[in-house]
Amino acid sequence: DTGVSQDPRHKITKRGQNVTFRCDPISEHNRLYWYRQTLGQGPEFLTYFQNEAQLEKSRLLSDRFSAERPKGSFSTLEIQRTEQGDSAMYLCASSLEGGFGETQYFGPGTRLLVL
Amino acid sequence: AQSVTQLDSHVSVSEGTPVLLRCNYSSSYSPSLFWYVQHPNKGLQLLLKYTSAATLVKGINGFEAEFKKSETSFHLTKPSAHMSDAAEYFCVVSDRGVNQGGKLIFGQGTELSVKP
């Protein structure tokens, strides 16, 4: 399978703990996006990488959140001191810059539950 | 700023009858528009996209959408619903101009139910 993969698929943690999620994009895609989806809502943009550079961050991304994409391949999203309001599905998507009608392909998501 | 409004939070149809999911958009420039589908416990899948090549866009599984600039609409249709079409559907606009990528802005979603 050459699609976008995310790990873990599910994470349960206690409030105050740190969590880290991983996203592996489609291999030739140089753009990588993180979104968050809460129950009954559409996904909301969090941050975006072009190669290894983080080019845009949403104001939703508080200072407890950090994302990296070393070497322009996989990406990690870390949440420090988790809060119950962080409970959501975290989605990763990748795309190829300049592709006609540039399309973002989504991974299956990581579902986070903060107790 | 770009935005989309899905006019129905829930649509229910009988199997074999037409499907219409409504979406209006707002954009400062010629938009890239998409419809994505999300089945329970599965990832988002692209149904179709508008990138200015043609106003009537055909997608997978018999879905199509028509871009109407004068009405700022991008409604999704299918002539005959199938039970497997039951899912959440999202109308999406890119925050940049057509074919320029950018973050996606999602509507609130429309849940489609299909009755036997």
Side-chain angles (χ1 to χ4, degrees):
Chain A
D1 184 15
T2 57
V4 178
S5 61
Q6 293 186 246
D7 185 70
R9 295 289 305 276
H10 302 273
K11 179 71 177 179
I12 301 174
T13 191
K14 293 182 179 179
R15 189 175 54 187
Q17 298 293 306
N18 299 343
V19 294
T20 300
F21 310 141
R22 177 179 170 125
C23 170
D24 286 89
I26 294 172
S27 58
E28 66 269 24
H29 285 184
N30 62 334
R31 288 179 170 167
L32 188 148
Y33 300 80
W34 285 97
Y35 295 84
R36 181 171 68 186
Q37 184 178 21
T38 53
L39 208 59
Q41 303 295 316
E44 294 176 293
F45 169 78
L46 291 178
T47 190
Y48 148 58
F49 290 86
Q50 178 153 317
N51 301 309
E52 65 275 9
Q54 187 173 19
L55 296 186
E56 189 173 352
K57 291 168 63 173
S58 163
R59 53 188 166 80
L60 291 176
L61 216 64
S62 75
D63 56 7
R64 295 186 297 107
F65 288 71
S66 62
E68 295 182 340
R69 193 182 182 199
K71 303 179 183 178
S73 56
F74 71 92
S75 176
T76 58
L77 178 68
E78 181 183 18
I79 309 174
Q80 297 182 326
R81 305 181 303 280
T82 52
E83 301 173 356
Q84 288 184 326
D86 297 331
S87 296
M89 175 78 86
Y90 290 83
L91 297 166
C92 175
S94 70
S95 67
L96 180 62
E97 177 187 6
F100 181 74
E102 184 174 330
T103 298
Q104 293 183 26
Y105 295 88
F106 283 82
T110 295
R111 187 174 295 279
L112 173 67
L113 178 61
V114 181
L115 300 177
Chain B
Q2 281 60 253
S3 66
V4 289
T5 302
Q6 292 185 242
L7 301 175
D8 307 290
S9 59
H10 186 261
V11 169
S12 181
V13 300
S14 297
E15 190 175 21
T17 64
V19 175
L20 170 63
L21 305 184
R22 299 182 295 164
C23 173
N24 286 349
Y25 71 90
S26 174
S27 179
S28 306
Y29 30 69
S30 186
S32 288
L33 291 161
F34 309 80
W35 277 96
Y36 280 84
V37 61
Q38 188 173 39
H39 287 92
N41 300 315
K42 294 197 174 178
L44 285 158
Q45 181 183 20
L46 179 70
L47 273 180
L48 51 80
K49 59 186 178 185
Y50 167 74
T51 55
S52 79
T55 56
L56 184 61
V57 183
K58 295 187 183 299
I60 62 171
N61 300 333
F63 285 94
E64 63 182 37
E66 186 171 9
F67 174 74
K68 292 187 176 180
K69 186 176 180 179
S70 60
E71 299 176 11
T72 61
S73 69
F74 190 57
H75 301 333
L76 181 70
T77 60
K78 182 174 181 177
S80 176
H82 192 271
M83 295 296 291
S84 61
D85 295 329
E88 188 86 18
Y89 291 80
F90 293 99
C91 182
V92 183
V93 64
S94 171
D95 80 324
R96 298 183 190 173
V98 62
N99 294 333
Q100 295 183 41
K103 65 178 180 277
L104 299 181
I105 299 161
F106 285 75
Q108 293 289 87
T110 298
E111 183 182 358
L112 175 65
S113 301
V114 182
K115 297 175 290 187

